């Protein structure tokens, strides 16, 4: 089991299905390498991806969300429209499985975001963690858009959702809820950046309690 | 369980309840003192009469407070108000009892939050023991669970350790009311004190977390005398006064809520408002407290209940007395 050639052979066999499993020498390894080269040269094979969206409960929203996928070379595999699982804000979670060449996947996610569609998760690896926090203070006076763009610029996080509440008017203390999508293990560094920006602008940050990591 | 002779220092809600309930638990109160008076009776006090006198005359007896400390008792119950910094006079009371090889049960957080190393050093030099279940989480058996399950196997303790702050936050959330409004209501109900700073600024929760951190840290030291000691100064503390109702509303949109959460690990203490799942085990309502222990073999253990109150805290004190066999 510890022979690397043998491991290679079994992998190829699983994908291709045409190799004799007894063939554990250099032939199998060469075949494997040849296949990898071929993929890179001829455009990579489509790979499956999963995207989780939250849609507003209005006609046409699902269609709007699927169009950018098709436009950017994504091939839909399945759509799970979770009507029975509406979020507290009345959004409908939708899970889309699609297939596309790996290099086109980021373009699909970007296109969805440009359409204003709330992408909760785009493949577990890419946006492995979510970070939700509240900001409290003179958010408007301290240039809210600067705050948000600096959070996005100086971290690997992207702004997944945002809402502002300023019941006393924009001159008074207001609150914002910010949801950031970060890469796996990126939440802590994103949080650190948010703390720095908040300290500078005299804003209060209410951080999520991360159970199990304290 | 052997019958113990108790000397109770402090005649507030907790001390008074200990005096009232001791007989029910099979113990005798032989001495009782408040800040200005004391009563000593080797045969056991008449609890009702003493408490009535405290109620009507403001004193527990005709003696000097030091008389209680000098009485013939088995266990000193230290229930004087928590003091910060040097933790006096609590620490001196602990020292006096241990010098006579008597056991001490603390309801006063000061000595174990501000001078933990001193308390442990005094204890090592004595045949007496110091127990302090009542200092963390009121009626909730936090420290005894920690002791039973092994603090060395617990990586963190977190939770809601102040009922007043929790009442205010949960009421602001459910009723959509502002901080000042709910605080006034809490004061009317007797849930918050006239000066609520100790509770709403997070100090009280921080003291409890400091005690937990001391226990967790001590369990990891090769020699307990070398354990890292925590005091309130080592804690990062943020209160709830600045939280507007709008923030709580926004938290609800995401299926979460804001609670004043204290966290203790062997490496530090942090108290502040945090986002927790709205229906999660830490989002208790009203004045309830909850403590979650992160145990390497058990995962999460959640303990919840009343975190304050005279009879509740006295029950924790008397449970400690029972552990001193």
């Amino acid at each position: 089991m510890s022979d690397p050639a043998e491991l290679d052979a079994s992998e190829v066999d699983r994908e291709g299905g045409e190799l004799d499993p007894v063939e554990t020498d250099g032939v199998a390894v060469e075949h494997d390498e040849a296949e990898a080269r071929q993929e890179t040269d001829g455009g990579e094979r489509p790979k499956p991806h999963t995207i989780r969206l939250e849609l507003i409960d209005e006609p046409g929203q699902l269609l709007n969300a699927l169009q950018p996928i098709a436009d950017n070379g994504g091939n839909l595999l399945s759509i799970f429209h979770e009507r029975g699982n509406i979020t507290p804000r009345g959004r409908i979670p939708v899970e889309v499985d699609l297939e596309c060449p790996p290099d086109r996947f980021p373009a699909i996610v970007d296109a969805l975001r440009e359409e204003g569609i709330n992408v909760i998760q785009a493949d577990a690896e890419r946006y492995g963690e979510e970070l939700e926090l509240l900001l409290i203070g003179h958010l408007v006076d301290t240039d809210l858009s600067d705050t948000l763009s600096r959070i996005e610029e100086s971290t690997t996080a992207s702004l997944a959702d945002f809402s502002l509440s300023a019941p006393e008017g924009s001159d008074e203390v207001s609150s914002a809820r910010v949801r950031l999508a970060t890469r796996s293990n990126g939440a802590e560094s994103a949080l650190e950046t948010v703390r720095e920006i908040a300290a500078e602008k005299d804003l209060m940050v209410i951080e999520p309690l991360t159970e199990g990591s304290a | 369980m052997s019958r113990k002779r108790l000397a109770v220092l402090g005649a507030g809600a907790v001390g008074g309840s200990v005096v009232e309930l001791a007989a029910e638990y099979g113990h005798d109160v032989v001495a009782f003192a408040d800040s200005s008076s004391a009563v000593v009776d080797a045969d056991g006090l008449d609890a009702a009469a003493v408490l009535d006198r405290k109620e009507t005359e403001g004193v527990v007896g005709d003696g000097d407070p030091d008389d209680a400390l000098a009485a013939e008792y088995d266990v000193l119950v230290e229930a004087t108000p928590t003091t910060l910094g040097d933790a006096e006079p609590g620490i001196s009371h602990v020292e006096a009892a241990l010098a006579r090889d008597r056991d001490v049960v603390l309801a006063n957080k000061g000595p174990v939050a501000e001078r933990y190393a001193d308390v442990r050093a005094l204890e090592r030099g004595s045949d007496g023991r110091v127990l302090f279940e009542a200092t963390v989480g009121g009626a909730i058996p936090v420290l005894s669970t920690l002791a039973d399950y092994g603090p060395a196997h617990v990586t963190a303790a977190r939770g809601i350790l102040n009922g007043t702050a929790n009442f205010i936050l949960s009421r602001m959330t459910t009723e959509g009311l502002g901080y000042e409004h709910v605080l006034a209501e809490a004061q009317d109900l007797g849930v918050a004190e006239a000066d609520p700073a100790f509770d709403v600024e997070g100090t009280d929760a921080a003291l409890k977390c400091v005690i937990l951190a001391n226990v967790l840290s001590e369990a990891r030291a090769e020699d307990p005398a070398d354990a890292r000691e925590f005091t309130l100064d080592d804690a990062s503390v943020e209160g709830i006064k600045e939280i507007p109702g709008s923030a709580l509303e926004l938290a609800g949109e995401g299926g979460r809520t804001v609670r004043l959460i204290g966290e203790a690990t062997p490496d530090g203490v942090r108290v502040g408002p945090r986002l927790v799942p709205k229906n999660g085990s830490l989002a208790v309502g009203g004045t309830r407290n909850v403590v979650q222990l992160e145990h390497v073999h058990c995962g999460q253990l959640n303990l919840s209940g009343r975190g304050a109150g005279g009879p509740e805290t006295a029950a924790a004190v008397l449970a400690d007395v029972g552990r001193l066999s």
Side-chain angles (χ1 to χ4, degrees):
Chain A
M1 283 306 283
S2 59
D3 182 352
E6 194 171 299
L7 286 175
D8 281 343
S10 64
E11 265 180 32
V12 173
D13 185 44
R14 193 155 30 81
E15 286 175 8
E18 49 190 1
L19 267 180
D20 183 348
V22 179
E23 203 171 1
T24 59
D25 57 12
V27 179
V29 176
E30 270 175 32
H31 184 97
D32 190 22
E33 280 171 0
E35 195 171 66
R37 258 202 313 276
Q38 189 190 352
E39 273 189 30
T40 319
D41 289 349
E44 290 181 75
R45 287 183 171 186
K47 293 218 164 86
H49 297 276
T50 300
I51 300 179
R52 279 189 73 81
L53 311 170
E54 263 185 23
L55 300 182
I56 301 162
D57 192 6
E58 281 172 14
Q61 289 297 312
L62 183 59
L63 191 61
N64 281 348
L66 299 181
Q67 198 64 48
I69 297 174
D71 288 349
N72 287 279
N75 183 29
L76 292 168
L77 298 175
S78 77
I79 300 161
F80 185 40
H81 194 223
E82 301 173 43
R83 270 215 153 271
N85 196 16
I86 291 179
T87 68
R89 294 195 304 155
R91 305 273 179 97
I92 302 171
V94 178
E95 191 169 289
V96 180
D97 287 329
L98 60 95
E99 203 175 59
C100 69
D103 58 344
R104 300 212 185 137
F105 186 62
I108 290 176
V109 176
D110 289 346
L112 286 167
R113 293 218 159 104
E114 272 167 34
E115 286 293 318
I117 291 155
N118 196 3
V119 180
I120 303 301
Q121 198 179 332
D123 270 359
E125 277 190 357
R126 222 175 121 68
Y127 297 103
E129 285 180 52
E130 267 192 17
L131 181 64
E132 185 167 315
L133 46 88
L134 300 178
L135 294 174
I136 298 169
H138 290 278
L139 294 167
V140 180
D141 289 351
T142 56
D143 195 347
L144 184 57
S145 70
D146 171 70
T147 305
L148 296 176
S149 61
R150 277 175 60 194
I151 290 172
E152 277 204 308
E153 275 163 24
S154 43
T155 66
T156 57
S158 59
L159 192 62
D161 197 11
F162 173 82
S163 35
L164 177 73
S165 175
E168 313 288 326
S170 59
D171 293 341
E172 292 299 314
V173 166
S174 50
S175 311
R177 174 172 152 266
V178 179
R179 193 165 65 198
L180 299 170
T182 73
R183 287 164 202 272
S184 291
N185 302 319
E188 189 48 48
S189 72
L191 199 50
E192 192 52 50
T193 307
V194 172
R195 283 183 199 134
E196 283 167 21
I197 297 170
E200 188 189 309
K201 298 191 172 199
D202 202 18
L203 305 174
M204 178 178 187
V205 187
I206 297 188
E207 300 174 15
L209 179 71
T210 321
E211 294 183 5
S213 67
Chain B
M1 194 173 69
S2 59
R3 199 169 183 91
K4 300 282 188 188
R5 294 171 298 168
L6 311 183
V8 180
L9 302 187
V14 177
S17 291
V18 171
V19 169
E20 189 180 348
L21 299 176
E24 202 179 301
Y25 285 74
H27 305 297
D28 297 311
V29 177
V30 295
F32 183 34
D34 63 10
S35 56
S36 66
S37 66
V39 54
V40 177
D41 186 339
D43 298 328
L45 301 173
D46 178 345
V50 169
L51 292 171
D52 186 56
R53 185 161 178 196
K54 172 70 183 170
E55 177 84 30
T56 53
E57 297 173 39
V59 293
V60 296
D62 301 320
D64 183 84
D66 286 343
D67 295 352
L69 209 52
E72 277 305 314
Y73 60 85
D74 302 310
V75 182
L76 182 77
V77 174
E78 221 294 345
T80 63
T82 295
T83 50
L84 304 182
D86 63 4
E88 291 291 0
I91 189 82
S92 293
H93 296 158
V94 172
E95 188 171 8
L98 290 174
R100 291 171 60 197
D101 291 328
R102 304 303 153 93
D103 296 316
V104 179
V105 171
L106 293 168
N108 173 359
K109 294 180 275 294
V112 270
E114 295 285 54
R115 301 188 62 180
Y116 192 79
D118 290 336
V119 169
R120 288 308 203 193
L122 291 167
E123 189 186 23
R124 279 191 291 275
S126 166
D127 287 339
R129 291 175 65 194
V130 181
L131 294 178
F132 42 99
E133 176 68 81
T135 60
V136 179
I140 310 170
V142 180
L143 291 171
S144 54
T145 304
L146 205 50
D148 281 351
Y149 279 66
H153 298 113
V154 173
T155 54
R158 64 180 79 89
I160 293 168
L161 286 160
N162 185 275
T164 305
N166 201 61
F167 176 88
I168 292 173
L169 285 177
S170 52
R171 193 126 174 92
M172 281 174 72
T173 304
T174 52
E175 304 300 320
L177 299 167
Y179 170 81
E180 296 298 339
H181 185 113
V182 175
L183 173 62
E185 186 185 75
Q187 284 166 332
D188 287 346
L189 289 169
V191 169
E193 299 188 30
D195 177 7
F198 202 58
D199 296 317
V200 300
E201 287 173 5
T203 315
D204 175 64
L207 288 170
K208 294 163 184 170
C209 289
V210 164
I211 296 168
L212 287 167
N214 277 323
V215 173
L216 295 178
S217 156
E218 183 180 45
R220 282 160 174 80
E222 267 183 45
D223 180 351
D226 298 334
R228 180 175 170 193
E229 183 190 15
F230 293 92
T231 70
L232 188 58
D233 285 343
D234 301 309
S236 146
V237 188
E238 201 176 8
I240 62 165
K241 281 194 298 187
E242 314 298 328
I243 303 173
S246 59
L248 300 176
E249 229 169 273
L250 287 176
E253 278 187 5
R256 307 192 192 203
T257 189
V258 178
R259 288 290 187 269
L260 182 65
I261 301 284
E263 290 178 281
T265 71
D267 307 306
V269 172
R270 177 179 174 190
V271 175
R274 305 287 284 273
L275 280 169
V276 297
K278 191 161 36 180
N279 299 313
S281 47
L282 290 180
V284 295
T287 57
R288 280 179 85 80
N289 284 22
V290 58
V291 176
Q292 184 173 74
L293 303 178
E294 196 74 45
H295 192 283
V296 289
H297 303 306
C298 314
Q300 292 173 347
L301 294 168
N302 294 310
L303 307 164
S304 76
R306 294 189 192 168
E312 291 86 348
T313 310
V317 166
L318 290 161
D320 268 349
V321 173
R323 286 179 192 108
L324 294 165
S325 55

